[in-house]
C-alpha cells in the first residue's frame, strides 16, 4: 500500500543561510565504508553513492601511459548511460532498450545476453538505461516499459519479471499546438508515460526502484525542445521495494498525494523569489483538488542508502503537467525534491523541496551523495550533497533534511525563476537540461572536493494560448534550446564553504558523470568523443583517449589480476547531438608499469 505522505517540517530561512562557517571551520569530511576494494559492485560504488575509487595504482605521474586494453561492441547503436558493475571478474552492463550483457572483464568477450522485449507500443522516454544491480547470484534491471526483472547471474536466464507501474501515456501530439508555432510541424520523440531508466539498488533482501516519465511532457523531434500542455494526464511517480528473491512488492511510496498544495511558498527554501501569482493559484485550487492524481515526480537516478539512519534517499522530478502550471495550483509537494524514506516500511522521514511549483523542469536529477561534516564544536554531522539543475551544490543534514550549505554556482545563471513568457519568451540559464542533469557526481573525502560535470544550455521558455475551433482554450508552454552551448567540469571545496577550487569550461555540454580516485585523478568524458583524466587538485588534463562516439556515461575503476582498470561506455547521446555508438572501453597501464 502507498505510504501516507507526512508533512515535512518547514526549514526556516535562517537555517538555509549558507553555513559556510559550518563546513569551512569543520572541514574534515570522511568517507563511508567502501563496498569492495577490488571490483565495482554497486552502481554508485558504495551505498553512499560517492563514486570515489580506492585504487592508487594509476596516478597523476603514470596516467599518461594508460592504454586501451580491450573494447567490446554491443551491436546496438544508441544513447548509452550505463555504469558497468564488476563482480568476481565479470562485468555486467545494461544496454539501450534494457537488454543486459555479462562480459569477461579480462578479455572483453561476451558471456551471455538477456534480450528484453517491451510490452505494448511506443516508449515514453527513449531507450537509455543507467545500469544494473548485482547481489548474490542475481542481476536486477529496471526496464523502459516500467518493469523490474531478475536474471540468473551465471546464465542470464529470467528468474522473475514484475510490473512496477503501468501507464499508457498522455497521447499528446504536436498537431494540437498553435499553427504559428514551429514545433507544431514536427513529430514527437517522447511523451508523458512510465519507464525506468535508473539502476535499482539492493540492500538486505530488498530491491528498491523508482519510475520516470510521469512528468516528461511532450518532446518534439527538434533538439532539446519540450512542450507542457495544461490538463489532467499523468500519474504520481513512485519509489517501491520488492523482495529480492520472489519479486513481491513490499511497499510503495507515491510521490504526490492529497495535500500536495502545501504552503504556497513565494520563494525557494534559500529565499529566491519564484514570481508566483499566489492569489490566482489559491482561487484555482478548489477546482483542482484531484490534480495530485496526475502529479508527476519522476525518479531519474538510483537512490542512496544511509544504513545508520535506516533511510533511502533520492531526488524527484518536476510536477505534471510540465511547465504549463495552470491546472496544478500550489507547491506540488514532494516534486523537484529530496526525499528520505524509512528503508523497512517506505514511511516518509523527511522531504525538502528545492523548487516549489516548478515551472522550468528543474528535476532533482543528479543523485545525492552521502558525506560527513564536522560542526563548529567538532561534532560529526551526517550530511548529503546534491548537484542541482539550478547550478549550485546543496548540502543537507541527512537526519532531517535541514539545509547546511549552498555552494558557489558551477554554471552561468541568468533570469532564474522567470516564468515562461508570451511572444518571444524569455531565455533562462540554467535551462531545462540544467546545471547538473542525471549525471552522478563524485566525492573525494580526503581532499574534501566534490566533482560535478554540468551543462550550459540556456533555454527559451514561451507561454502559449490557443483558441480551438470548439471555443475551448489550450494553454501550453514550450522550452527550446538556444545557440549557446557548452559545459563545465568543476571541483567544489565543501571544506571551504562550497567555493570553486577549479573549473574547466568545455565546448560541449558535459553529460555522463565523473570518477575520482584516491591517487588524485578525475576521469570524465569532455566532449563529442574525448575521454580524459585530470589532476583532481588543479584540473590539469593529464591524458585523453579519442573514442568513435560520445563518452557520455559514468566511468568506473576496478582491480583485476593485480592491475587497476578504468571502464566507460562510449555510445553518445542523441538528445544533446553527441555522436552515437555501441562500444565499452577498458583501459589499464602497460603490464610492466603495473608491477
Amino acid at each position: 500500500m502507498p505510504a501516507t505522505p507526512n508533512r515535512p517540517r518547514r526549514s526556516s530561512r535562517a537555517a538555509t543561510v549558507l553555513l559556510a562557517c559550518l563546513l569551512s571551520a569543520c572541514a574534515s569530511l570522511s568517507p563511508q565504508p567502501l563496498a569492495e576494494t577490488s571490483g565495482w559492485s554497486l552502481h554508485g560504488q558504495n551505498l553512499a553513492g560517492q563514486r570515489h575509487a580506492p585504487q592508487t595504482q594509476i596516478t597523476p605521474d603514470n596516467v599518461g601511459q594508460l592504454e586501451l586494453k580491450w573494447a567490446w561492441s554491443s551491436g546496438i547503436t544508441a544513447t548509452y548511460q550505463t555504469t558497468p558493475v564488476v563482480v568476481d571478474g565479470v562485468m555486467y552492463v545494461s544496454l539501450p532498450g534494457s537488454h543486459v550483457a555479462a562480459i569477461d572483464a579480462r578479455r572483453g568477450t561476451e558471456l551471455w545476453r538477456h534480450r528484453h522485449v517491451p510490452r505494448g507500443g511506443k516508449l515514453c522516454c527513449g531507450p537509455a538505461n543507467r545500469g544494473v544491480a548485482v547481489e548474490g547470484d542475481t542481476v536486477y534491471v529496471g526496464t523502459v516499459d516500467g518493469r523490474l526483472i531478475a536474471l540468473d547471474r551465471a546464465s542470464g536466464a529470467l528468474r522473475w519479471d514484475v510490473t512496477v507501474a503501468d501507464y499508457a501515456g498522455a497521447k499528446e501530439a504536436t498537431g494540437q499546438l498553435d499553427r504559428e508555432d514551429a514545433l507544431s510541424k514536427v513529430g514527437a520523440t517522447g511523451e508523458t508515460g512510465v519507464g525506468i531508466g535508473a539502476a535499482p539498488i539492493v540492500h538486505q533482501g530488498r530491491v528498491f526502484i523508482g519510475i520516470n516519465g510521469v512528468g516528461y511532457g511532450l518532446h518534439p523531434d527538434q533538439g532539446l525542445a519540450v512542450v507542457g500542455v495544461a490538463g489532467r494526464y499523468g500519474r504520481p511517480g513512485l519509489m517501491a521495494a520488492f523482495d529480492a528473491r520472489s519479486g513481491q512488492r513490499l511497499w510503495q511510496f507515491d510521490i504526490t498525494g492529497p495535500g500536495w498544495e502545501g504552503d504556497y511558498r513565494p520563494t525557494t527554501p534559500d529565499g529566491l523569489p519564484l514570481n508566483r501569482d499566489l492569489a490566482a493559484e489559491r482561487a484555482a485550487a478548489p477546482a483542482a483538488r484531484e490534480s495530485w492524481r496526475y502529479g508527476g515526480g519522476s525518479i531519474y537516478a538510483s537512490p542512496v542508502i544511509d544504513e545508520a539512519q535506516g533511510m533511502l534517499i533520492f531526488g524527484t522530478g518536476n510536477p505534471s503537467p510540465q511547465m504549463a502550471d495552470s491546472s496544478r495550483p500550489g507547491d506540488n509537494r514532494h516534486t523537484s525534491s529530496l526525499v528520505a524514506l524509512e528503508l523497512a516500511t517506505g514511511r516518509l522521514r523527511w522531504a525538502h523541496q528545492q523548487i516549489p511549483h516548478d515551472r522550468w523542469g528543474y528535476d532533482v536529477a543528479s543523485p545525492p551523495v552521502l558525506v560527513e561534516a564536522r560542526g563548529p564544536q567538532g561534532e560529526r554531522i551526517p550530511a548529503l550533497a546534491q548537484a542541482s539543475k539550478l547550478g549550485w551544490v546543496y548540502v543537507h543534514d541527512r537526519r532531517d533534511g535541514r539545509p547546511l550549505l549552498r555552494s558557489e554556482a558551477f554554471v552561468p545563471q541568468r533570469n532564474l525563476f522567470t516564468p515562461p513568457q508570451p511572444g518571444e519568451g524569455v531565455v533562462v540559464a540554467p535551462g531545462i537540461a540544467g546545471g547538473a542533469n542525471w549525471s552522478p557526481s563524485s566525492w573525494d573525502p580526503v581532499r574534501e572536493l566534490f566533482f560535478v560535470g554540468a551543462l550550459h544550455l540556456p533555454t527559451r521558455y514561451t507561454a502559449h494560448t490557443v483558441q480551438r475551433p470548439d471555443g475551448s482554450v489550450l494553454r501550453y508552454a514550450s522550452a527550446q534550446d538556444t545557440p549557446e552551448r557548452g559545459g563545465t567540469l568543476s571541483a567544489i571545496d565543501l571544506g571551504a564553504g562550497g567555493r570553486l577550487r577549479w573549473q574547466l569550461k568545455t565546448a560541449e555540454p558535459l553529460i555522463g558523470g565523473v570518477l575520482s580516485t584516491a591517487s588524485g585523478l578525475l576521469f570524465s568524458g569532455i566532449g563529442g568523443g574525448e575521454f580524459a583524466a585530470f589532476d583532481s587538485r588543479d584540473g590539469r588534463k593529464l591524458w585523453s583517449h579519442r573514442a568513435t562516439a560520445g563518452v557520455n556515461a559514468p566511468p568506473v575503476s576496478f582491480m583485476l589480476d593485480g592491475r587497476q582498470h578504468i571502464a566507460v561506455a562510449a555510445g553518445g547521446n542523441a538528445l544533446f547531438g553527441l555522436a552515437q555508438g555501441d562500444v565499452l572501453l577498458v583501459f589499464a597501464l602497460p603490464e610492466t608499469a603495473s608491477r
Side-chain angles (χ1 to χ4, degrees):
M1 295 294 290
T4 301
N6 296 326
R7 183 177 297 273
R9 71 175 66 182
R10 291 186 63 186
S11 301
S12 68
R13 185 169 180 182
T16 49
V17 171
L18 309 185
L19 296 184
C21 59
L22 176 70
L23 287 179
S24 59
C26 45
S28 255
L29 292 125
S30 61
Q32 297 292 309
L34 294 170
E36 180 181 345
T37 57
S38 59
W40 188 282
S41 60
L42 290 172
H43 179 262
Q45 189 264 332
N46 55 14
L47 293 174
Q50 293 173 338
R51 290 184 180 261
H52 180 69
Q55 295 90 9
T56 57
Q57 188 180 90
I58 303 171
T59 70
D61 292 330
N62 64 24
V63 69
Q65 302 176 56
L66 206 61
E67 59 185 22
L68 184 66
K69 183 179 180 184
W70 56 259
W72 172 80
S73 296
S74 71
I76 303 172
T77 299
T79 296
Y80 278 70
Q81 299 176 352
T82 185
T83 292
V85 171
V86 184
V87 180
D88 298 333
V90 178
M91 182 178 293
Y92 303 90
V93 294
S94 61
L95 307 176
S98 309
H99 312 297
V100 179
I103 304 161
D104 185 324
R106 288 180 175 83
R107 301 173 183 84
T109 55
E110 187 172 318
L111 302 175
W112 56 255
R113 185 180 300 206
H114 168 77
R115 290 174 171 81
H116 177 63
V117 180
R119 300 170 184 160
K122 184 178 177 180
L123 302 176
C124 72
C125 313
N129 189 282
R130 292 175 187 150
V132 303
V134 177
E135 179 70 17
D137 59 0
T138 309
V139 179
Y140 304 90
V141 66
T143 73
V144 289
D145 53 340
R147 294 147 62 188
L148 177 64
I149 288 174
L151 307 172
D152 182 87
R153 183 177 149 193
S155 66
L158 182 67
R159 288 194 163 169
W160 50 257
D161 177 347
V162 298
T163 297
V164 179
D166 191 12
Y167 173 59
K171 295 183 174 59
E172 302 158 307
T174 55
Q176 69 181 309
L177 307 182
D178 184 351
R179 293 179 184 177
E180 300 302 315
D181 186 344
L183 296 179
S184 68
K185 300 173 177 62
V186 299
T189 60
E191 61 186 19
T192 303
V194 167
I196 296 175
I201 189 168
V202 186
H203 182 66
Q204 294 184 346
R206 296 181 177 92
V207 187
F208 302 96
I209 193 73
I211 61 171
N212 63 260
V214 293
Y216 199 61
L218 175 66
H219 283 233
D221 188 11
Q222 183 175 310
L224 291 171
V226 181
V227 172
V229 181
R232 294 191 171 192
Y233 56 88
R235 58 149 293 155
L238 65 87
M239 175 64 71
F242 295 83
D243 184 277
R245 281 292 169 194
S246 66
Q248 178 185 0
R249 191 182 303 252
L250 301 176
W251 56 253
Q252 175 177 316
F253 178 84
D254 288 334
I255 303 304
T256 63
W260 85 319
E261 297 82 6
D263 299 320
Y264 292 86
R265 298 191 60 159
T267 69
T268 64
D270 44 344
L272 301 174
L274 289 168
N275 300 306
R276 296 169 64 178
D277 186 342
L278 296 179
E281 286 184 42
R282 287 191 171 97
R289 289 193 183 95
E290 300 295 300
S291 61
W292 63 267
R293 297 185 183 276
Y294 317 96
S298 293
I299 296 167
Y300 290 106
S302 185
V304 294
I305 290 176
D306 182 340
E307 287 190 294
Q309 304 293 329
M311 289 192 301
L312 184 82
I313 307 174
F314 54 93
T316 66
N318 57 261
S320 177
Q322 183 166 352
M323 298 182 297
D325 62 318
S326 61
S327 58
R328 52 171 175 87
D331 294 347
N332 314 141
R333 289 172 64 235
H334 302 163
T335 61
S336 300
S337 299
L338 283 167
V339 175
L341 305 180
E342 192 171 87
L343 275 168
T345 66
R347 182 179 66 87
L348 182 69
R349 289 280 191 87
W350 57 261
H352 175 87
Q353 191 170 36
Q354 279 185 7
I355 309 98
H357 196 76
D358 181 6
R359 286 179 279 180
W360 304 270
Y362 285 146
D363 319 288
V364 180
S366 182
V369 180
L370 303 189
V371 299
E372 188 175 86
R374 294 187 189 275
Q377 308 304 318
E379 68 275 19
R380 295 191 173 201
I381 299 175
L384 67 86
Q386 195 269 333
S388 72
K389 272 192 172 183
L390 299 173
W392 293 295
V393 171
Y394 290 101
V395 179
H396 299 259
D397 186 324
R398 66 178 184 258
R399 295 169 296 188
D400 57 12
R402 179 172 56 95
L404 302 175
L405 171 71
R406 191 185 78 190
S407 76
E408 286 189 86
F410 54 78
V411 290
Q413 296 167 320
R414 69 176 184 269
N415 294 329
L416 204 57
F417 303 124
T418 301
Q421 300 293 309
E424 294 299 313
V426 59
V427 176
V428 178
I432 197 166
N437 204 288
W438 64 267
S439 309
S441 308
S442 69
W443 165 242
D444 184 331
V446 175
R447 297 169 181 85
E448 299 176 357
L449 295 177
F450 194 80
F451 300 102
V452 181
L455 311 103
H456 175 57
L457 295 167
T459 294
R460 184 178 300 279
Y461 291 92
T462 308
H464 305 263
T465 302
V466 180
Q467 189 80 29
R468 288 169 163 165
D470 63 1
S472 64
V473 174
L474 174 69
R475 290 184 175 86
Y476 70 96
S478 65
Q480 291 182 271
D481 51 348
T482 68
E484 289 185 65
R485 181 179 177 90
T488 60
L489 182 63
S490 305
I492 295 169
D493 192 335
L494 296 187
R499 295 174 186 161
L500 285 173
R501 172 76 67 87
W502 56 260
Q503 184 175 85
L504 171 70
K505 294 182 179 179
T506 60
E508 295 289 346
L510 294 194
I511 188 79
V514 294
L515 165 73
S516 59
T517 75
S519 63
L521 290 170
L522 182 70
F523 289 90
S524 177
I526 57 166
E530 188 176 7
F531 181 53
F534 304 85
D535 189 313
S536 63
R537 297 168 299 180
D538 56 21
R540 286 182 301 121
K541 186 163 71 170
L542 304 174
W543 167 90
S544 69
H545 172 86
R546 176 62 61 177
T548 56
V551 181
N552 309 114
V556 304
S557 173
F558 62 96
M559 294 294 290
L560 191 60
D561 301 328
R563 299 173 70 189
Q564 183 181 359
H565 296 69
I566 305 294
V568 70
N573 192 302
L575 184 62
F576 296 93
L578 301 168
Q580 294 186 281
D582 71 336
V583 181
L584 187 68
L585 305 171
V586 174
F587 303 90
L589 294 172
E591 195 162 358
T592 53
S594 301
R595 293 172 183 167

